[in-house]
Structure formats: structure tokens, C-alpha cells
Amino acid sequence: MADATGFLKFDRELPPRRPVDIRIMDWKDVYLTRDGGEDEVYPVSAVRTQAARCMDCGIPFCHHGCPLGNLIPEWNDLARRDDWTEAIERLHATNNFPEFTGKLCPAPCEGSCVLNLQESPVAIKQIEWEIIDRAFVDGNVQPQPAQERTGKKVAVVGSGPSGLAAAQQLTRAGHDVTVYERADRIGGLLRYGIPEFKMEKAVLDRRLDQMRAEGTRFVTGVEVGGSADDDLSTEALRAEYDAVVLAGGATIGRDLAVPGRELAGIHLAMEYLPFGNRQALGELDDPPINAHGKHVVIIGGGDTGADCLVTAHRQGAASVTQLEIMPTPPDRRATDNPWPTYPMIMRVSSAHEEGGERLYSVNTEKFLGDDDGNLRALLLHEVERVDGRFQKVEGTERELRADLVFLAMGFTGAQRTGLIDELGVEVDGRGNVARDATFMSTVPGVFVAGDMGRGQSLIVWAISEGRSAAAAADTWLTGSTMLPSPVVPTSVALR
């Protein structure tokens, strides 16, 4: 194992981000891109030093923090010893797409790291990214086509992280897998929800090239259960495929039903972010929803709101304010948020480094418009929690100027119209597609993975569910499986 005293000798250190005044001028990654396997400001030697901080603890709680069951201490030590070939083997053993999680996951593994008792966890997420990025540079990520074919055909509906994980696992098990995506390109939220500066799309495309070489077939611009001429009916889907994996995500955004919602200039976050991504990729010069020169308000303090924040800055917004109904998080863990649960503390992400104002414990009472029906301001008031419910603090009303509002308050479940209704699968009280202990819906042979069945969650849960649903589908098709199944539908995060 790793240097038993490394955590005493070395401090936690992460690579520096590009200066704010430079990076807001483009859409590139906020971090410098490693060139040819080396980086002057964060060399491989620094990565090995950070890996040496892994303390060989008796019970590695990082395993329990990650639903993928990543073998974190093992690949930390392999990175420390400069054995990058074996490190990527151990990393890929539990995670199909460590380049996605290394960029996008909020790292519950670090929250549960034993060193986080001192609020200085091992830089697990960064080490993960360095291992997979180096593996691509060194040619250690190669297609793994199945040695034998089963003759079974599987359709995966949705090409986000859950659908891609299920597709890759089932393809490698020897099935003929087709992934259907209603957008014009593969990737789901990875393509049009995640901004370019969080993960450049070249990172996604190189993995898709591997999957194509393994035999996975991708079909874009087709909505299963849709009504357009080029769409695929659910009857044709069931007739052509022996099994189906639904991985369409939780796409219904949470709306805000307050007076003035009908005013022009108020949008759900996912109405806005795809246009920003297309602008970043050079596909749009002037997106239909553009923050340039406007006073922007984002309602919702999570990652989706932060993505809107950074996109608005790059479009040249006059001002950006992010609202959150919850109180300001503490700087350190509260007594009801003990280790090894995920630390609910104040964070300054790369998005918030770039500017804007954050307001906590506020609620939007109504939207105010001008005589032409355009948004001009929000009427806010402060709130306090009484007996577990938010109540208005009287006398705190005030107007906040706004030309553009983005609603980033989460998602309420899967889209019912079309695929779900046409298939006849049941939906639970939370708006998610119901499934049994084997990830199967109420329709035999139709499995459910990711946010469509779990509800809005993290990318590590999406990938782990995709892997588990693939194992369940493989068992249903062949009677047994050698595919790993890291979670069950009722698995929850540490709490």
C-alpha cells in the first residue's frame, strides 16, 4: 500500500485553474490541458505526491462513499508507484467512464475519506482524472469487443452516462446494442447540459469512438415513442429488440408557479444551457436565449445554477445573481452532518470564482413586468425555517432587477408523454419509472436505469445504475451474467 506517513508529510494540493480574466474570454476547460502526458504547473510528480497521501486506513470509507465501489486505495498506490497501466486497469474495473466522473462528480469519496476528519482529504478526483487522461495519451484505452456474440438485441433509450454505461456493458457481454437519442448528437446531458468549460466534448467523443469500435450502434434524431415521421414507435421497438433499457433521465424541470411566470424572459435552465453549449461549440453565433448585456437572476443554488452562472458570464451578462432558499452553508461541518457523510459546507466553485452575487434564505414572491409583457424585476422576501417549513420574514420585501431569469431548482421526474405512456410502464409517486429489485419495470423485458428510475442524482449513481441494469438485463436474456452489479434500486448514499 501507499506511504504510511504520506498524509503527514504532504499537504493536499490541486492544480491551479486558469486565471479568471483569461478563462471567461473563451469556452475552454477551466484547467490547463495536459500536453503529451505532462503539465508544467501540475507535473506527474505532483500527482504521485498526492496519491502518497492515501493513508492505508483499516476501513477505506471512500469505498462506501462511491456507489461505483471504486477501488480507490488500490489505484492511488499504483499511481504513487508510477504504475499507470495497472492503475487504469483497476480504475476501469469499476467505472466505465472515469474521465466523466473525474471532471463532473462532486466526489462523495473525498467527503468520506478518513483524512476529511481534518478537512484535508486525498485528492481522489484529481488522481482519477490524471490516471484516465494519461491512459488515453499512452494508448491504454482500447476497444474491448466481445469474443462471442449472443444473438440477442438490446435497445438503450437515452445516451447520458447511465445509458452509455449500460450499452457498453451489454455490448461487451456479446449482445447487439443500439442506443437511441432524440437529440442530434450522442451524449444526453453530457453533450448539451454540461458546459464545455466543465468537460470539453472531445473527452466525450473519444470514449464514443471506443464504444463504436466495440460494436455499439448509435442512432440520433429519433425519439422512441415520438410522433414525427422519423421516430420509432414503441410497438416497433418491442418487436425488434429482445430487451430494452430505459435511461432517458429525469427531464421535467421544477417550475415556479408564482404571479408573473408568463412574462417573457423566464426560462427553465435546460432551455438555456443547450444553446450555450452549441454557442461554445461554434454551432450558434447568436443563441435564442442570450444573456449578453442583461441582468440575470438564477433561482437555485446547485450545480445546474452554477452552470447557468458561468454561461451567462461568458455571454457578457451585465450582472448575475444566484438565489437560494436555504440558509448560507457553514464553513465547517455541522453536528448533524458528521463524517463520513457528504459535507454540506460553503463551497466556492470555479463558477463562483468568476463573479456574481449569491443570496441565501430568500424566496421569489412574484415576477414583475413592464407594459410590453417583458420581465423587469423579481419581488423577493427573506425566509426562516420554523418547524421544518420556510416562512416569510415580514417586512423584508424588495425588488431585484432582472431582464432574464433561469429556473434551476432541480427536476421532478421522467417525461411521461410519448415513450413512458406508450410503453405502459408504471410511474411512482415521485414521477420516476417504477422498477423491481432487478431494475425491471412493470413491463417484462424493459429495464430502467439512472435518473429515470432513481430521480435526479449524481453521475456516479447514473453510471453505477447503468452497470447494474446491464447485469440484470444480461441475466434476463441469458440466464446468468458475469457483469458486475454495484448497486440495487434501493441503494442510497451515506447518511
Side-chain angles (χ1 to χ4, degrees):
M1 284 301 298
D3 183 345
T5 61
F7 71 99
L8 297 173
K9 294 186 292 188
F10 309 118
D11 294 328
R12 175 180 166 92
E13 182 180 355
L14 297 174
R17 296 168 179 143
R18 294 194 296 139
V20 169
D21 59 344
I22 293 176
R23 70 183 193 236
I24 63 172
M25 302 299 293
D26 60 43
W27 299 88
K28 297 179 181 177
D29 198 313
V30 298
Y31 292 97
L32 290 171
T33 301
R34 188 176 295 282
D35 183 15
E38 191 51 279
D39 180 349
E40 291 184 2
V41 299
Y42 198 74
V44 172
S45 59
V47 182
R48 296 178 61 195
T49 296
Q50 291 304 301
R53 297 186 68 242
C54 187
M55 62 186 295
D56 192 13
C57 49
I59 299 177
F61 279 85
C62 54
H63 283 186
H64 303 281
C66 178
L68 283 164
N70 280 334
L71 306 172
I72 296 165
E74 293 187 32
W75 42 259
N76 275 344
D77 188 52
L78 291 164
R80 178 188 70 90
R81 293 193 277 115
D82 213 24
D83 190 347
W84 301 98
T85 301
E86 187 62 26
I88 189 56
E89 290 294 326
R90 302 310 293 148
L91 184 50
H92 269 152
T94 57
N95 187 352
N96 296 71
F97 313 123
E99 67 273 29
F100 302 165
T101 54
K103 283 291 184 184
L104 306 175
C105 181
C109 54
E110 293 188 14
S112 59
C113 174
V114 172
L115 286 179
N116 209 32
L117 284 165
Q118 301 297 321
E119 300 179 355
S120 183
V122 174
I124 299 170
K125 180 177 171 179
Q126 186 63 37
I127 297 166
E128 176 183 33
W129 167 256
E130 300 286 350
I131 292 171
I132 180 58
D133 193 46
R134 187 181 180 96
F136 273 106
V137 170
D138 293 345
N140 288 328
V141 181
Q142 296 295 326
Q144 298 180 34
Q147 297 301 307
E148 297 181 5
R149 312 302 303 178
T150 65
K152 301 291 186 179
K153 298 179 67 177
V154 182
V156 176
V157 184
S159 67
S162 183
L164 293 179
Q168 186 167 62
Q169 293 294 94
L170 288 165
T171 298
R172 290 176 174 179
H175 305 302
D176 296 323
V177 179
T178 300
V179 178
Y180 288 95
E181 170 57 57
R182 63 184 175 182
D184 61 339
R185 300 176 72 181
I186 291 293
L189 285 180
L190 295 171
R191 175 74 64 184
Y192 290 127
I194 300 300
E196 184 80 352
F197 37 79
K198 286 181 71 173
M199 189 184 79
E200 294 181 356
K201 300 306 171 280
V203 173
L204 169 61
D205 290 334
R206 66 184 182 184
R207 180 63 74 172
L208 295 178
D209 288 341
Q210 181 204 34
M211 294 182 65
R212 291 187 182 95
E214 291 173 346
T216 301
R217 175 173 171 255
F218 295 108
V219 177
T220 58
V222 172
E223 182 169 2
V224 180
S227 57
D229 292 341
D230 294 334
D231 289 340
L232 180 68
S233 69
T234 55
E235 291 83 1
L237 177 79
R238 297 309 312 277
E240 183 174 354
Y241 295 96
D242 300 295
V244 175
V245 178
L246 303 180
T251 57
I252 304 301
R254 190 180 303 279
D255 214 323
L256 186 59
V258 300
R261 173 62 179 88
E262 75 284 354
L263 292 168
I266 305 170
H267 305 275
L268 293 171
M270 284 308 300
E271 294 173 347
Y272 171 60
L273 289 174
F275 290 131
N277 267 326
R278 291 184 183 277
Q279 183 181 10
L281 296 171
E283 299 174 6
L284 283 176
D285 292 329
D286 185 18
I289 306 174
N290 196 335
H292 182 75
K294 296 180 180 179
H295 296 277
V296 176
V297 174
I298 301 162
I299 302 178
D303 286 343
T304 303
D307 293 343
C308 293
L309 171 75
V310 183
T311 302
H313 278 143
R314 279 157 179 73
Q315 290 180 337
S319 69
V320 187
T321 306
Q322 191 171 10
L323 310 182
E324 173 60 66
I325 196 170
M326 298 295 290
T328 305
D331 292 330
R332 306 189 67 174
R333 285 181 185 267
T335 55
D336 60 351
N337 177 216
W339 174 90
T341 59
Y342 188 72
M344 306 302 292
I345 58 175
M346 187 68 173
R347 304 174 190 278
V348 179
S349 69
S350 62
H352 298 115
E353 284 180 342
E354 296 177 6
E357 183 179 8
R358 285 195 277 182
L359 301 179
Y360 291 91
S361 296
V362 294
N363 187 41
T364 302
E365 190 167 317
K366 66 171 66 174
F367 298 112
L368 307 174
D370 61 20
D371 294 337
D372 296 323
N374 298 310
L375 177 72
R376 67 169 181 83
L378 286 74
L379 181 63
L380 305 178
H381 61 252
E382 295 179 11
V383 297
E384 59 183 356
R385 183 171 280 183
V386 179
D387 296 329
R389 300 178 65 87
F390 291 108
Q391 292 190 3
K392 177 179 179 179
V393 178
E394 296 296 337
T396 61
E397 300 89 347
R398 63 187 176 97
E399 288 190 16
L400 177 64
R401 182 177 178 181
D403 306 309
L404 200 56
V405 164
F406 300 128
L407 305 179
M409 302 177 295
F411 300 86
T412 60
Q415 175 183 318
R416 296 283 296 273
T417 305
L419 174 63
I420 301 304
D421 287 342
E422 294 291 330
L423 276 175
V425 296
E426 290 185 8
V427 176
D428 65 23
R430 297 175 59 235
N432 305 320
V433 179
R435 66 260 180 99
D436 64 16
T438 66
F439 290 88
M440 191 184 293
S441 72
T442 52
V443 175
V446 177
F447 298 83
V448 187
D451 290 4
M452 184 172 269
R454 173 170 292 272
Q456 178 187 349
S457 191
L458 306 179
I459 187 171
V460 280
W461 283 100
I463 296 173
S464 62
E465 286 222 350
R467 289 169 66 87
S468 298
D474 187 38
T475 301
W476 191 77
L477 289 167
T478 66
S480 63
T481 188
M482 296 183 67
L483 296 176
S485 183
V487 295
V488 296
T490 53
S491 297
V492 296
L494 282 173
R495 58 185 181 184

